[in-house]
Amino acid sequence: MSSAEVKTTTCYMCACRCGIRVHLRDGAVRYIDGNPEHPLNQGVICAKGASGIMKQISPARLTRPLRRRAGAERGAGDFEPISWDEAFALLEERLAKIRASDPRKFALFTGRDQMQALTGLFARQFGTPNYAAHGGFCSVNMAAGMIYTIGGSFWEFGGPDLERAKLFVMIGTAEDHHSNPLKIAISKFKRGGGRFLSINPVRTGYSAIADEWVPIRPGTDGALLLALAGEIVAQGLYDRPFVARYTNGGQLVITDEASPRYGLLATCGDSDPVDRHHPQNQLWWDRHSNRPVVTHTPGADPYLFGDFRLADGTRVKPAFQLLADRLRPCTPEWAEKITGVPAANIRRLAHEIGVTARDEKIELPIAWTDCWGEEHQTVTGNPVAFHAMRGLAAHSNGFHSVRTLAILMSLLGTIDRPGGFRHRAPFPRAIPPSAKTPTGPDGVRPNTPLAGLALGWPGSPEDLFVDAEGEAVRIDKAFSWEYPLSVHGLMHTVIRNAWRGDPYPLDTLMIFMANMAWNSTMNTVEVRRMLAERDAGGEHKIPFLIVCDAFQSEMTAFADLVLPDTTYLERHDVMSMLDRPISEFDGPVDAVRIPVLPPLGECKPFQEVLIELASRLKLPAFVDGDGARRYRDYPDFILRHETEPGSGIGFLAGWRGANGDQSMRGEPNPRQWEKYAANNCVYKHELPPSYSYMRNWNRGYMQWAQRVRMRRWGEPVLIHLYSEVLQRFRLAAQDRWPGRRPPARFKQRVETYFDPLPFYYAPLEVQATDPGEYPLAAITQRPMAMYHSWDSQNAWLRQIHAHNYLFVNPRTARASGVEDGAWLWVESPWGRVRCMGRHSEAVEPGTVWTWNAIGKQPGAWGLAADANEARKGFLLNHLISDTLPGGTSNSDPVTGQAGWYDVRVRIYPAEERGVWPEFTELGKVPA
Ligand code: SF4
């Protein structure tokens, strides 16, 4: 007799982490549907989520540890199976030697995984500074530009409150970013009569159902946002009370050029000794008493405009005055020339946004107290909500574009208020957050954990991770003067830097879930050559490559050792508050995965690999005092690990304490996994309404957040319209900072881009390209039915997309002689690709675009060598350079974000058919 059962877990067919029900019969998956009791997706499931069943039985599954066959070349994918015992013995011996001699020589870089709290802990305990996930390639500008301005960002960290918004403005967002939750919210928003504007060069996905599409040239969003902000200020449509009390707009900036503190905020007395990055002693010029007072002095109200002198004669201006001065020349006419959006439209949009925010106020009967002790009887809001993502971020000018968006949202008074942007726990964070890396090479020592985190948030030059000469300590040069605020690292520079030996060669590079030989890299052909290249002695330039993944890919083909990961249905996993939880606006939420199937073949979850390696290497957090292994396995680690002994803070926030009756904080609970299993694999901590809004400045929330250790300090998080953090770096570049200063070759770069006020500049690659030769912008986005490169191995999903086209506006196509459906060349200064084109009215005339990662190397991802993905699909990354003329990385000079949406191209008809460049066929892996 057959048996049927239903198990709940959390989807991982994309990064949204919806709750799912897996329906099994006789132990095999029959189908997967959405879990109606899950707070995130409320039963909704997308095509990807339902297709998880085919991931399970994909022919691309790796099922055994593999070693590159002796004599086989890297890239050929020629392997022999080995046992896990052999694999661990090999890894233990190699990694122990590196750790005992020079831990920098081991680097761990990961893709869109959801376990960075664990991978980061492993790297720190190992002692290497060379660790990061994929954020530098993805959207670090979105995180950094927002967090350095408002203390939070979009996606897991916060989002648009569409339940109460009247106007929704979406900018540069892919077809399905933040997929099911946002689809549910937009659907309700539109049914409720909300108006939806989409600013994007391409009108697909979400943009296709917008009430108005505002086409814009890629990489110019910053100019549009400056013009919108300028109009809002010029027309007096900004929320003055909000700006005065909750931003640093009223704070006085020293404007005496001769002063050593030029551009810093005027203060009374010494800085707060508790937290040097967040002193609370700045000044306002009070309108009532017409004199300087400490900010938020009861009864005071700051001038936002003016030019004043302090008692000692120092000239000061309110930060808002400086911002208004900066915005004044950014007129709609100025922006039209850059963006292609007509000036009249910009004026109309600014008016609509500003008037909606001003005239449709929301008032909720929720009493709360702010950090300065003032009691408020209601929570009010201005119902204009924004959402933005990679289209805004993945440019070498993206940091300032994103910062401008955060400033526009703040001028409108929409931060953590109903109908606007709302934070998700553990945000808001301090500006900048308190996590820091070591500050010099001494932080890296043999057989010793790293003296700080591998990734942090610099607040001044003293926080950079550089040596005495100001040169980088990390292999990717993150937190150096080249990219000072590279808070997510620079995954896209690792292979070239290691290949160059700049700043030093690596010994072992471990890659988890990142296709760095294909779509998770720029300049693909060159990067693949670097991965395979040997030095004069016959050694590979990167001596040992470990790749851990569930599927055979272009990247696994280059590995010396392949470790077969499980799928999400076969393992334990946590979506932790220490990492990237799934919090809601009204409270922290974390979730787990619990296996519904046993691992296929010899697959082993990467988490188990890390726990095993950490135990064998005796990394201090993973062993007891006598060196004995502390954790049986990953689930045991999750149950018992605390951030510090006795802290009561672990990876999971729900059902803590010996009896499981505590939340957020409490001693380990041996039955915690059972509680999650019995509760749809999710835990939600509901905050009282009085803690759910205005959290940057909400005393009750701050005290609670400190109690549960989500905040280190309880100071209010004032919005940085003016960034003193950036000014500190600029002063260093001008030799006016009392501490560290950049090497001479970076001075001009830092001085230019560390402007404390937002500004627009053309992306660096665009500045270096002749627009007459290469007049078109070329961009990608991931399709709705596939998550990056993950799904070409999925038999159901590849029926939706098995090849891609270059989409071209008909006007542009006709001017170039390119027929609809015909083969064409698309060429950048760095290379060319032959592909098929389609005419599309849904793209602005100066842009061509395609889906990312549909094209595959023949034989990759378990596909037949003549599959459409290889014969007709193409990869635009071949056209994108990872470096700029002069050899620096093609990255944002503030954050190191890869500028992979900045390439300029031309198109022309192709005589021949078939995709080019061509790649050799990959061999089948033993499975
Ligand atoms: S949106 Fe993402 S997480 Fe949710 S069901 Fe679809 S693939 Fe799964």
Side-chain angles (χ1 to χ4, degrees):
M1 205 172 94
S2 69
S3 70
E5 60 180 326
V6 181
K7 292 184 177 174
T8 61
T9 187
T10 305
C11 186
Y12 196 9
M13 291 296 285
C14 84
C16 281
R17 297 157 291 179
C18 298
I20 50 172
R21 298 187 301 199
V22 183
H23 299 257
L24 300 136
R25 177 163 292 164
D26 298 332
V29 182
R30 289 185 62 227
Y31 66 95
I32 298 170
D33 63 3
N35 184 348
E37 291 169 24
H38 198 279
L40 192 76
N41 56 316
Q42 302 148 39
V44 174
I45 194 156
C46 76
K48 298 187 290 284
S51 302
I53 185 169
M54 300 309 282
K55 190 168 205 162
Q56 205 51 35
I57 58 169
S58 161
R61 287 290 301 269
L62 296 163
T63 57
R64 305 167 75 178
L66 302 169
R67 178 166 53 200
R68 185 162 56 85
R69 204 180 292 282
E73 283 303 317
R74 276 192 188 163
D78 187 2
F79 296 106
E80 60 184 3
I82 60 170
S83 69
W84 274 108
D85 283 346
E86 283 175 281
F88 278 126
L90 189 163
L91 286 168
E92 183 181 347
E93 189 188 341
R94 188 160 197 124
L95 296 186
K97 259 191 215 150
I98 298 173
R99 187 164 190 262
S101 53
D102 186 354
R104 299 176 308 165
K105 298 285 180 78
F106 169 66
L108 170 59
F109 281 81
T110 74
R112 200 16 169 140
D113 66 293
Q114 297 177 349
M115 58 183 86
Q116 289 157 34
L118 174 63
T119 50
L121 178 67
F122 179 88
R124 183 180 183 184
Q125 290 284 311
F126 186 90
T128 180
N130 295 321
Y131 160 78
H134 75 300
F137 192 65
C138 176
S139 280
V140 66
N141 274 338
M142 185 51 65
M146 296 279 285
I147 291 171
Y148 273 96
T149 306
I150 64 167
S153 186
F154 291 114
W155 188 203
E156 291 110 319
F157 317 133
D161 177 11
L162 294 186
E163 207 180 310
R164 296 202 178 86
K166 296 275 194 298
L167 179 63
F168 176 40
V169 184
M170 178 182 261
I171 314 173
T173 305
E175 293 197 353
D176 74 331
H177 199 275
H178 200 24
S179 194
N180 282 345
L182 194 54
K183 285 172 193 158
I184 296 166
I186 291 179
S187 152
K188 287 184 187 159
F189 171 76
K190 286 209 62 162
R191 287 200 177 101
R195 184 164 142 73
F196 173 16
L197 299 175
S198 175
I199 300 168
N200 202 314
V202 179
R203 184 177 196 175
T204 61
Y206 295 127
S207 301
I209 58 158
D211 297 296
E212 182 175 345
W213 173 42
V214 182
I216 186 168
R217 295 179 188 136
T220 68
D221 314 80
L224 175 68
L225 293 163
L226 284 167
L228 290 172
E231 278 293 292
I232 296 291
V233 172
Q235 302 303 324
L237 290 170
Y238 58 96
D239 184 335
R240 192 200 178 278
F242 182 88
V243 168
R245 189 161 183 85
Y246 301 120
T247 79
N248 68 1
Q251 294 189 356
L252 300 174
V253 180
I254 295 168
T255 52
D256 271 335
E257 292 230 19
S259 166
R261 301 198 71 240
Y262 173 68
L264 299 179
L265 298 172
T267 56
C268 67
D270 294 336
S271 291
D272 184 337
V274 176
D275 176 6
R276 70 185 165 92
H277 287 313
H278 313 109
Q280 300 293 310
N281 57 352
Q282 294 90 355
L283 300 175
W284 284 345
W285 201 282
D286 178 29
R287 291 168 69 200
H288 304 309
S289 58
N290 199 23
R291 63 181 178 85
V293 296
V294 174
T295 61
H296 301 90
T297 297
D301 182 28
Y303 276 105
L304 296 183
F305 291 96
D307 187 352
F308 307 97
R309 278 190 193 275
L310 299 177
D312 64 359
T314 305
R315 207 170 152 196
V316 292
K317 287 184 181 177
F320 193 80
Q321 172 74 65
L322 300 178
L323 176 65
D325 293 345
R326 171 60 55 86
L327 295 175
R328 198 165 301 113
C330 302
T331 62
E333 286 71 22
W334 166 82
E336 175 178 342
K337 292 195 197 87
I338 298 167
T339 62
V341 182
N345 272 6
I346 298 174
R347 278 210 172 78
R348 178 177 55 79
L349 291 174
H351 190 259
E352 181 178 357
I353 290 169
V355 167
T356 307
R358 185 191 66 187
D359 293 351
E360 306 219 23
K361 281 216 179 323
I362 298 168
E363 188 159 11
L364 304 178
I366 298 171
W368 66 287
T369 306
D370 71 25
C371 286
W372 303 280
E374 187 166 321
E375 293 182 358
H376 304 258
Q377 294 314 309
T378 59
V379 165
T380 56
N382 305 337
V384 179
F386 292 80
H387 185 68
M389 211 14 88
R390 194 172 306 113
L392 195 57
H395 303 280
S396 55
N397 63 2
F399 174 81
H400 276 284
S401 302
V402 172
R403 209 172 110 65
T404 312
L405 172 62
I407 287 172
L408 173 63
M409 290 160 58
S410 304
L411 293 176
L412 294 164
T414 62
I415 306 303
D416 213 33
R417 294 175 87 185
F421 168 88
R422 291 185 64 196
H423 292 295
R424 295 187 168 104
F427 288 85
R429 297 263 202 224
I431 302 174
S434 50
K436 299 285 181 276
T437 67
T439 54
D442 287 358
V444 186
R445 292 176 193 269
N447 283 333
T448 309
L450 195 68
L453 296 167
L455 299 172
W457 296 83
S460 74
E462 280 54 57
D463 296 329
L464 292 181
F465 200 177
V466 291
D467 65 18
E469 280 72 49
E471 302 297 338
V473 176
R474 286 177 53 117
I475 187 74
D476 59 359
K477 303 196 180 183
F479 310 107
S480 71
W481 287 101
E482 210 164 341
Y483 324 98
L485 307 187
S486 39
V487 297
H488 288 176
L490 288 87
M491 181 173 93
H492 50 290
T493 64
V494 172
I495 291 171
R496 181 178 286 278
N497 290 359
W499 171 79
R500 279 178 177 160
D502 173 21
Y504 45 79
L506 287 180
D507 177 278
T508 295
L509 173 58
M510 186 181 226
I511 295 171
F512 173 53
M513 267 182 81
N515 201 0
M516 288 165 75
W518 200 249
N519 55 287
S520 287
T521 197
M522 305 188 276
N523 202 354
T524 320
V525 175
E526 267 292 285
V527 165
R528 292 161 61 89
R529 187 179 64 72
M530 293 174 209
L531 284 171
E533 194 171 295
R534 297 172 189 267
D535 61 20
E539 264 285 314
H540 282 112
K541 293 249 179 122
I542 304 174
F544 199 63
L545 271 176
I546 307 160
V547 178
C548 183
D549 210 308
F551 302 100
Q552 176 249 17
S553 71
E554 290 87 352
M555 186 67 234
T556 55
F558 285 87
D560 298 302
L561 180 66
V562 177
L563 305 176
D565 192 19
T566 55
T567 69
Y568 67 106
L569 297 178
E570 299 167 344
R571 67 166 175 242
H572 289 88
D573 234 337
V574 295
M575 274 59 58
S576 165
M577 212 59 66
L578 303 181
D579 196 329
R580 309 179 76 130
I582 57 167
S583 295
E584 305 267 306
F585 297 146
D586 54 2
V589 186
D590 65 15
V592 302
R593 295 192 181 94
I594 296 181
V596 298
L597 294 168
L600 186 68
E602 295 172 28
C603 290
K604 197 179 278 296
F606 186 56
Q607 296 99 324
E608 296 289 4
V609 171
L610 290 182
I611 301 286
E612 178 69 29
L613 278 176
S615 307
R616 287 177 180 235
L617 294 168
K618 303 198 185 309
L619 306 188
F622 296 86
V623 291
D624 289 327
D626 58 359
R629 180 183 183 126
R630 186 177 296 163
Y631 304 111
R632 189 177 60 249
D633 51 19
Y634 176 69
D636 184 41
F637 166 80
I638 292 297
L639 281 191
R640 295 200 289 126
H641 174 78
E642 292 177 277
T643 50
E644 296 151 32
S647 71
I649 310 283
F651 273 64
L652 291 173
W655 299 287
R656 298 195 68 84
N659 302 320
D661 54 2
Q662 294 173 41
S663 63
M664 304 304 295
R665 203 170 168 184
E667 61 186 294
N669 168 13
R671 308 191 61 168
Q672 198 176 26
W673 282 107
E674 291 163 44
K675 296 301 282 184
Y676 274 87
N679 286 279
N680 293 303
C681 294
V682 63
Y683 172 76
K684 180 169 181 183
H685 182 91
E686 195 109 18
L687 287 172
S690 61
Y691 291 5
S692 296
Y693 296 90
M694 304 294 280
R695 279 164 284 192
N696 292 50
W697 324 275
N698 184 321
R699 176 180 282 178
Y701 173 78
M702 285 294 180
Q703 289 171 346
W704 173 83
Q706 271 191 296
R707 264 200 313 279
V708 301
R709 302 272 285 266
M710 215 136 67
R711 294 288 320 270
R712 190 159 165 198
W713 290 290
E715 280 95 343
V717 183
L718 273 196
I719 290 168
H720 286 204
L721 298 183
Y722 181 89
S723 176
E724 193 182 39
V725 172
L726 297 185
Q727 179 66 8
R728 291 173 191 149
F729 286 88
R730 177 178 258 191
L731 286 177
Q734 294 169 337
D735 289 333
R736 302 207 274 183
W737 182 251
R740 282 172 155 177
R741 292 164 183 191
R745 70 185 192 282
F746 295 125
K747 282 190 172 170
Q748 196 188 344
R749 176 179 166 105
V750 174
E751 183 175 4
T752 304
Y753 298 108
F754 278 72
D755 191 320
L757 292 163
F759 75 113
Y760 174 78
Y761 57 96
L764 303 183
E765 179 168 355
V766 175
Q767 293 179 31
T769 306
D770 178 351
E773 287 279 301
Y774 302 98
L776 302 171
I779 55 172
T780 62
Q781 64 174 324
R782 61 163 192 261
M784 199 175 299
M786 289 195 172
Y787 195 68
H788 300 298
S789 65
W790 290 7
D791 297 310
S792 292
Q793 43 71 30
N794 187 304
W796 286 355
L797 295 173
R798 65 183 293 262
Q799 290 181 53
I800 301 173
H801 301 288
H803 67 279
N804 52 329
Y805 296 97
L806 190 76
F807 294 104
V808 187
N809 186 285
R811 186 149 42 105
T812 310
R814 278 193 288 273
S816 308
V818 168
E819 300 287 335
D820 190 15
W823 288 89
L824 65 111
W825 287 104
V826 50
E827 182 175 331
S828 77
W830 324 106
R832 62 178 191 161
V833 165
R834 190 167 59 214
C835 61
M836 288 190 295
R838 290 305 308 263
H839 293 191
S840 168
E841 296 284 355
V843 53
E844 70 93 25
T847 303
V848 295
W849 77 278
T850 189
W851 287 307
N852 183 31
I854 300 290
K856 296 284 192 284
Q857 182 173 357
W861 296 90
L863 299 172
D866 63 351
N868 276 350
E869 285 86 345
R871 288 190 310 120
K872 294 161 88 180
F874 70 99
L875 192 70
L876 200 76
N877 303 43
H878 302 318
L879 298 178
I880 306 171
S881 179
D882 63 326
T883 55
L884 294 166
T888 55
S889 168
N890 183 5
S891 302
D892 189 303
V894 179
T895 61
Q897 158 92 51
W900 59 299
Y901 280 19
D902 288 339
V903 70
R904 292 295 183 264
V905 301
R906 60 185 172 215
I907 57 171
Y908 47 93
E911 299 285 314
E912 314 82 5
R913 296 161 61 88
V915 165
W916 196 92
E918 292 171 344
F919 293 85
T920 52
E921 180 183 337
L922 285 182
K924 289 236 175 307
V925 295

